[in-house]
Every structure is written in structure tokens, then in C-alpha cells.
Amino acid sequence: MSATTQLPATPTPPSASSPAGGDAPRPPQRLRRGALRSERPGVRIAAWATVVVCGGFGLLPVYWLLATSLTPRDQVFSYPPKFFPSAPTLDAFAALASNEQLFGYLRNSVIVSVLTAVLSVLVSAYMGYSFSKFRYRGRRSLMYLVLASQMFPQALLLVTLYSVFSAYNLLNTYTALVLSFTTFTLPLCVWMLKGFFDTIPDELIEAARVDGASRLRIIHSIVLPLAAPGLIAAGLFAFVRGWNDFVFALTLAGPEKQTLPPGLVNTFIGEASTAWPELMAASLVVSLPVAIAFIALQKYLVGGLTAGAVKG
Amino acid sequence: MSTTPLMPSAVSRRRMLQLLGIGAGTAALAACAPSAPGSSTGAASAAATGGAKTDFAFSSWSFTEEAAAPALEAIVKAYQDQAGVTVKDISFPYNEYINQLTLQVKGGQFTGAAHVDVAWLGSLAAMGKLQDLSALTEGRGYTDAALAAAQFDGVQYGLPWTIGAIGLIGNSDLLEKVGVAGDAFPTTIDEFEKTLKDLKGLGGGLIPYAASTKAAQLKDALIWMETFGSPLVDGDTVTIGDDASVEAVTWYKSLYDQKLIAADVDRFDARSLFAQGRAAVYDDAPVGRGAVTEESPDKDLGSKLVPVSRPVLKAGDSPRALVWGGALAVVDGEGAETAADFAQFATSDLDTVLADYEVRGLPPVTTEAQQSEVVASDTFGTQFNERITATSTSNPFWAFTAYSQIETVVAEQVQAVLVGKTDAKTAMQKAGEAAQKLVG
């Protein structure tokens, strides 16, 4: 097609509200304005109030985290509570900066979470593809079996995994953490990616086969690139799961491989007291990488989670 | 999604069964794998006779606690220098400690010295891996009460380290405002209730008694049941549900209804309320002193803390208090003999104990240490010892491995009474029946 060729105008159905019927030329249809920009003040106020309440619900804890991290320890529980710290201090952040152990926890968290994300994506991509594009006896049962593993209480699996890792001398290693985290992330990742692969037309794969592509070539050169948003979503989910885990990291990691969640509790929560400003400051700092990753990749996460949710 | 197979199945049924077989075999292999060597209870005789020293592990929840860590590090360093061994420190958060330690001991991952709460000795001893340390107590000056606190079933499974009790702590400033001097605290429950009403009369939102009312800490109600005369358990028979326990909970509920105690309070909340001057009396162990003084905007709060005897039902009764404290137990296995020697050193070497006291302020367990200048000059510690620890007793449920679940079922029923879901008699009967099932 020539570059100068004009595309035919898209026919538009007659508007029911148009007094001139289908023959009159229509201005381009504007996007429907949301309630926030409604011209009716009542609707607008209600919409803004909803946004403020929902926003406050989500953001107030984050603000309180920040405010507590800037409050001297002897004023944390002052009564009545102060919304703004009366004598803000950076002491808690300074204490963090001088705590070398926390950097060790941070390093361990990064290593374990990244490896969990990579392993989860790697395994679940092939599993998801198999469930989506192959037909074999027991496929559906296997799919639900994978999902059913999510229904076991974590404490039950913890004892089992502890025994297995102990028997194979894997306790206190990154391997133990990565394998155990992957155990939990895999079911959701598999289902998420299966949904994504379902949206890739079978005809595309058929065409590649006709062109002589091998199965592996089809997966690696055609399907996986198309499923990149889903892979990112699955990886992000697995990363966050590895980043946040407490019980498994505490039990399987040992002191040298301890990750941030148990590390922070161990460092700041004692038998009789809790160093709240330091704990809040540390929580704030360690949340940042995850928050940044989320903001940067949120469109993929939403896309990945909802892929396959709607047919058609 | 297409319903037509695009590709032939790559996994046959036979292959699938093979894979499942491999998986099951792996699980079975793991289950059958031998655990690390453990042994039954034995005497720590080698440590007592000065056998060759070896490296060992020492676990404590205090290693990462800002206030306590320097004391523990100093003890470990002193022992390493003296014995020429390396002590590997292991730490878990206090709230997770017993679960983690149990898992590690059961799995044979941990051997050596373990800092334990005396309440946990029964369940740890049931695993059969703790050493009997009675041979190490000879001639070290441990008080009888301290030694008893670290025994289970008559066996010295731990060397006492810091033994005290959980009792009532008052704010002398607030008590004086209602005419109660520290040494004239009400001795009977009726007088105590009157004082609480007077304190409430001071206004300003003051909570007279920051008693535990959250389910997680309502095991505190057990000591009041004992105060009212319930033995809680007699042999293997749970007595909760008797008249005394019902009266105790009825009284507790009346305090709640009169707003003399507040809703949703646990130990941490009570400390915060007390530290802010919003509560006049609360329950705590000596370890709470550091927490409340540190959190308080009143820099002089430390001098206002006054330990008081728990009021009794009628004059002449002995005030009740619950034994609290830490002990050092030794888990059989690699390095256990040296670990036992270390436990003896940490808990009874005078210089070590006094240096520890100056940092942690927790009650020592040898007569010599208790009579030393540094300990005797601590007014709070001395008063606590005389007024609370002196008459303290162990929780009789600690003799059962399911003690934690027993405390929980009782606490849940007490809370049901507090929130008005049920009456005290019905609740205590239910609690007694549930506890009895757990006792067996």
C-alpha cells in the first residue's frame, strides 16, 4: 500500500441522539468524562471525597511510617498522638546507616528475591505453556493439583521443607530459600502465564510450524517474546513474595543468609521493647526498591494478572 | 482457547507415573534420612571435671537486642578468652524463639547452650535432648528458689540465669496523689479496688490499672485466679471452673465494667501507657524497667517505679506472683560439655554476673551476687525481690507440654467474659474442660 493512499473513513453507526439521523457529519466522539470532571457539583464532590478517603486509607499508614521514623523514641506513644512530629529527627536513619548487618540482610534479600523471580518465571513459563497449548490426559487435574498446593498451611509445609532441606544439607543456604519461595510462587505464576498464553492465537503457532520452526524455536522466538508482559508480571510477583517472606526466611536461612524481614524483627523487636523509629525507618528504606519496581512495571503486572480473564 | 490439540502430547501416562514415582521416592528418602545425632539426657559430668574444651553454639534472643547485646557479647568474649574456644552466637526474635529452637533441636541442627525462658523448660525437656545440669550447681551459690525455677520434673534442665517474677509495678507519683505511699500499697483486693477507684477519680483519662485484656496476654488472669484460691490444677486434674476461678473472673470483669482496667491492652500496651503516665499500676517483670523508662518522656520515671505485692483475698494470705526468668540449658551433642561449662560461668561467676547486672539490670541468681553492693544498692531490684519474687510460684501448667495451648484456651474464655459474650461460670467451666483435654 502506498504511503499516500488514504484509508477509508471508518463508518460510524447513526447516533440515537443525533437529530439529523445517520446522514449528518459528526464531530469525533470525545472520551466519556469521568465523574471527577463531571459538571454536576454533587457528583464531583462525592467522587473527590471517595478518592480522598480511599487515598487516605492507602497512604495514611505510609505517612505514619514516615512520621514515626522521624519521631524521637520517647515521643512515639505520646498522648494525644501528634500528626506531625514536634521534634523531628533523623537519628533513626543515621542508626540505620551505621548498621552494617542491615546491609547484609539487604544483600541477601536482593539475591534471594531475584533468583526466586528468575526460577519462578523459568519454570512457570514452560508449565504454563504446556497447560495452555498441549492436550494430554490428566492435564486439567495437574493444573488443579498445582493450585491445590496453595491451600496447605505454610506452617505445615515449613516443617516438611525443613526436614527435606536438613536431610540434603541445604539449610542455611540461598538454595533453600529460593526453592521454598518458588514453591509458593509457582502455582500463581503458572496460572497467570497460562492465561497469558491462552490469549496468543493458536494460528500463530500453527503458521510457525508450517514455516518449519521447531517446538523450542516456537516457544523461544515467538511465544515468549509475545508473553513478555506476563513474564514480567510473574517475575514481579515472585520477587515481591521472596522479598516479603518472614517465616521461611527465619527458619531456613540461618544467621548468614538472613533476609530483611526476619533481620529487621531480630534487630529492632526485643523481648520487652521495640525500637519503633528505627524499625519504621528501616521498613521505609527497604520498601523503596519494591515500590519503585512496582511503579515502573505496574502496567505489566495489571496486564499479566488480568490476561485471559475475559474471553473474546 | 482452542479445544483441539495443537500438538501431540509430549508426556505419556507412563512417563507421568514415572515422574510421580520419582517425586514420591524423593519425599520418602527425605523422610527416612537420619537426623543429626541426638542423645538422651545425660549428666554434664565432663564439664564439671574439666574435660577438653571445644567450640560450641550459644543461642539467645538477646544477641540482637540493642540494650542487652553488649552484656551477652562481653560474657561470650570473656569465656572465649578464658577457655580458648570459639562460641558461635545464634539469635531468633523472642516471639519466634521457642518455635525455632524446638525445630532446630528436633532436627539436630542445634547443640550447645541455649538461653531459655523458664516456662519453656518442660516442652524442651520433653524432646529428651537437654542435659541434666545438677552436677554443675554444687558449690556455686545458686539460691534454692532460683534452682527450683530452672527445674522440670525434679531435674535441673537449666542453670538459672536471671530469675525474678511478674508482679505489680506502680507509679509512686500517681499513687501518692491518692494517699498511697509505696510501702503502704493496699494489701487486700477490696482495698486495691478502692484505690483504683480513687485513681480513676484523678481524671485526665488515667487508667488506674493497665491489666491485660487482650487474649494474647490474658493468661495474666491465672494469677488472679490463684489469688482467689484456685489451684488451677491438682495433679492431672484441671480445677479451673471452681468457685475461686469464677469469682476471680467475675471480679476482673467488674473492674472492666467500671473502667478501672482498659480494653485491648497487652504487655506492650501496658508499658507504653505506664511510660506515658497514663496508667498508675501494671503487671511486669524486672525486664520491663528498661522499656518503660526508655519510652517515657519523664526522664525521672525510673525513680518513681515502685514494685508492690499483689493484694490478697483476705489478710494473712500470701501474695501471689508468677515466676519469670531466663535459664541456660544445654542441648546434647557437639560441644555440649563446654557449653555446660559456659552456662555455669555465665550464671555464677561473680564478676561476670555483676558486669551483666550493670548492663541488663536483671536479677542475679547467686547469694553472693544478690548481696553485692551493686545489686543491694538498686532500690527497685531489692524491693522487687522482697515484695514480689519472694513469694512467687511457677505456673502449674508449665508442667505440661501443651501449657501454651492451655493458657490460650483459658485466655479466650476470660476474654469472652470481658466482652460480655458469656458469664464467668459458663466460661470457666468451658475453659476447664478444654484445658483438661490438653492436659490429657
Side-chain angles (χ1 to χ4, degrees):
Chain A
M1 186 182 291
S2 152
T4 55
T5 309
Q6 292 290 315
L7 285 168
T10 310
T12 51
S15 166
S17 60
S18 168
D23 298 334
R26 289 166 12 106
Q29 203 169 26
R30 292 174 64 192
L31 284 173
R32 188 173 170 274
R33 289 187 301 183
L36 290 177
R37 297 179 64 187
S38 167
E39 285 165 9
R40 291 160 60 189
V43 174
R44 214 165 51 220
I45 290 168
W48 275 109
T50 307
V51 167
V52 169
V53 169
C54 293
F57 190 75
L59 293 177
L60 200 61
V62 180
Y63 170 74
W64 207 251
L65 191 80
L66 176 66
T68 306
S69 70
L70 298 172
T71 305
R73 201 182 286 189
D74 60 5
Q75 291 176 23
V76 168
F77 291 104
S78 62
Y79 185 81
K82 293 185 177 72
F83 195 75
F84 301 104
S86 54
T89 171
L90 292 172
D91 286 354
F93 289 93
L96 287 190
S98 61
N99 191 332
E100 288 179 14
Q101 208 169 23
L102 287 180
F103 290 101
Y105 298 146
L106 180 65
R107 186 192 64 231
N108 292 336
S109 274
V110 170
I111 291 171
V112 167
S113 304
V114 168
L115 289 177
T116 300
V118 170
L119 184 64
S120 298
V121 168
L122 202 65
V123 177
S124 58
Y126 291 107
M127 284 179 74
Y129 184 75
S130 161
F131 286 148
S132 174
K133 300 299 181 192
F134 290 96
R135 297 292 177 271
Y136 44 85
R137 190 175 294 177
R139 182 185 69 102
R140 193 168 287 274
S141 305
L142 268 178
M143 281 165 55
Y144 286 108
L145 191 67
V146 167
L147 200 62
S149 65
Q150 288 284 68
M151 295 169 191
F152 289 103
Q154 287 204 1
L156 194 70
L157 291 176
L158 178 64
V159 174
T160 312
L161 285 175
Y162 185 88
S163 305
V164 173
F165 290 144
S166 173
Y168 291 102
N169 286 325
L170 286 174
L171 287 177
N172 307 341
T173 63
Y174 288 133
T175 310
L177 290 184
V178 172
L179 287 178
S180 61
F181 293 164
T182 306
T183 306
F184 288 105
T185 55
L186 214 51
L188 190 63
C189 288
V190 167
W191 274 80
M192 194 192 296
L193 287 177
K194 179 195 172 293
F196 222 95
F197 292 135
D198 285 347
T199 64
I200 296 174
D202 294 342
E203 291 75 13
L204 201 63
I205 296 167
E206 197 73 56
R209 287 185 67 197
V210 170
D211 286 347
S214 67
R215 273 185 201 163
L216 287 178
R217 181 81 192 267
I218 291 170
I219 295 173
H220 296 144
S221 302
I222 296 172
V223 176
L224 291 185
L226 285 173
L231 299 177
I232 291 171
L236 196 57
F237 166 74
F239 180 89
V240 172
R241 177 67 179 77
W243 189 266
N244 287 338
D245 182 89
F246 174 78
V247 177
F248 281 76
L250 176 68
T251 308
L252 305 174
E256 279 85 27
K257 303 293 187 294
Q258 198 108 114
T259 58
L260 276 165
L264 293 184
V265 172
N266 218 359
T267 307
F268 298 120
I269 300 181
E271 177 188 4
S273 62
T274 300
W276 288 110
E278 289 82 357
L279 181 61
M280 295 298 115
S283 302
L284 199 67
V285 170
V286 304
S287 304
L288 285 178
V290 181
I292 291 167
F294 238 93
I295 291 166
L297 303 172
Q298 61 173 324
K299 62 179 178 182
Y300 298 113
L301 187 69
V302 173
L305 287 172
T306 55
V310 180
K311 278 184 178 274
Chain B
M1 195 174 86
S2 165
T3 54
T4 313
L6 273 170
M7 302 175 195
S9 168
V11 185
S12 68
R13 189 168 57 176
R14 176 170 295 176
R15 181 66 184 146
M16 184 71 68
L17 287 171
Q18 281 174 345
L19 289 171
L20 284 173
I22 291 168
T26 307
L29 195 63
C32 296
S35 58
S39 63
S40 57
T41 305
S45 54
T49 55
K53 302 282 195 295
T54 54
D55 296 348
F56 64 94
F58 173 36
S59 98
S60 170
W61 59 84
S62 296
F63 270 121
T64 51
E65 291 183 341
E66 190 183 18
L72 268 69
E73 285 161 5
I75 294 170
V76 168
K77 184 176 183 312
Y79 187 77
Q80 287 182 147
D81 292 346
Q82 176 191 297
V85 296
T86 301
V87 180
K88 183 187 177 191
D89 59 281
I90 295 172
S91 187
F92 304 111
Y94 180 79
N95 286 339
E96 298 290 332
Y97 188 85
I98 182 62
N99 292 335
Q100 294 295 323
L101 188 65
T102 301
L103 201 56
Q104 297 234 346
V105 171
K106 266 192 176 170
Q109 302 297 316
F110 178 82
T111 62
H115 183 188
V116 297
D117 191 310
V118 289
W120 304 334
L121 275 173
S123 44
L124 287 170
M127 288 190 284
K129 293 190 176 181
L130 295 190
Q131 284 198 346
D132 176 359
L133 302 173
S134 51
L136 297 177
T137 62
E138 302 297 327
R140 302 297 293 188
Y142 294 108
T143 64
D144 290 342
L147 286 174
Q151 289 172 356
F152 175 72
D153 220 8
V155 180
Q156 197 72 49
Y157 284 114
L159 291 180
W161 196 8
T162 53
I163 301 295
I166 294 176
L168 292 176
I169 313 287
N171 179 322
S172 60
D173 250 12
L174 294 169
L175 289 171
E176 280 166 14
K177 283 183 183 171
V178 294
V180 175
D183 54 358
F185 194 77
T187 52
T188 66
I189 282 172
D190 289 340
E191 292 167 4
F192 178 53
E193 189 171 335
K194 182 187 173 304
T195 301
L196 295 183
K197 287 174 182 167
D198 292 344
L199 285 164
K200 186 164 178 57
L202 292 177
L206 181 73
I207 297 164
Y209 173 28
S212 298
T213 47
K214 270 185 190 167
Q217 199 66 50
L218 259 172
K219 58 188 178 185
D220 280 6
L222 292 172
I223 202 73
W224 286 113
M225 292 182 201
E226 289 185 304
T227 297
F228 274 76
S230 174
L232 303 182
V233 60
D234 182 10
D236 284 344
T237 305
V238 175
T239 64
I240 291 179
D242 59 8
D243 290 346
S245 63
V246 173
E247 278 173 39
V249 175
T250 304
W251 173 74
Y252 212 66
K253 165 72 169 162
S254 79
L255 296 186
Y256 187 80
D257 290 343
Q258 296 173 76
K259 300 195 185 319
L260 301 177
I261 62 179
D264 279 333
V265 173
D266 64 10
R267 189 85 71 231
F268 276 82
D269 301 322
R271 285 180 185 135
S272 293
L273 290 166
F274 190 85
Q276 299 297 324
R278 294 187 56 217
V281 181
Y282 83 114
D283 291 280
D284 209 349
V287 72
R289 170 167 56 166
V292 293
T293 52
E294 197 176 63
E295 277 184 21
S296 179
D298 179 358
K299 297 302 168 206
D300 198 29
L301 183 67
S303 67
K304 297 171 187 170
L305 296 179
V306 50
V308 292
S309 297
R310 191 176 299 275
V312 296
L313 187 62
K314 56 183 187 301
D317 287 354
S318 178
R320 305 305 302 238
L322 178 67
V323 164
W324 164 92
L328 291 184
V330 175
V331 180
D332 250 337
E334 192 182 339
E337 288 165 5
T338 313
D341 185 55
F342 166 78
Q344 188 190 54
F345 170 82
T347 56
S348 64
D349 178 80
L350 185 62
D351 291 341
T352 305
V353 168
L354 295 183
D356 182 9
Y357 187 81
E358 289 194 350
V359 179
R360 293 198 292 165
L362 300 180
V365 292
T366 62
T367 310
E368 198 179 12
Q370 287 177 354
Q371 291 171 349
S372 68
E373 173 64 23
V374 64
V375 177
S377 63
D378 178 353
T379 308
F380 175 86
T382 310
Q383 288 179 342
F384 202 108
N385 209 24
E386 289 169 355
R387 297 174 182 174
I388 298 174
T389 308
T391 58
S392 63
T393 52
S394 294
N395 179 339
F397 288 125
W398 290 350
F400 304 99
T401 50
Y403 82 91
S404 179
Q405 292 99 306
I406 295 171
E407 289 177 346
T408 301
V409 296
V410 176
E412 283 170 356
Q413 289 302 324
V414 176
Q415 195 183 46
V417 175
L418 290 184
V419 300
K421 268 189 181 173
T422 183
D423 62 284
K425 190 171 178 60
T426 310
M428 287 307 94
Q429 275 174 353
K430 272 190 189 173
E433 286 164 10
Q436 187 64 62
K437 281 182 190 164
L438 290 163
V439 164

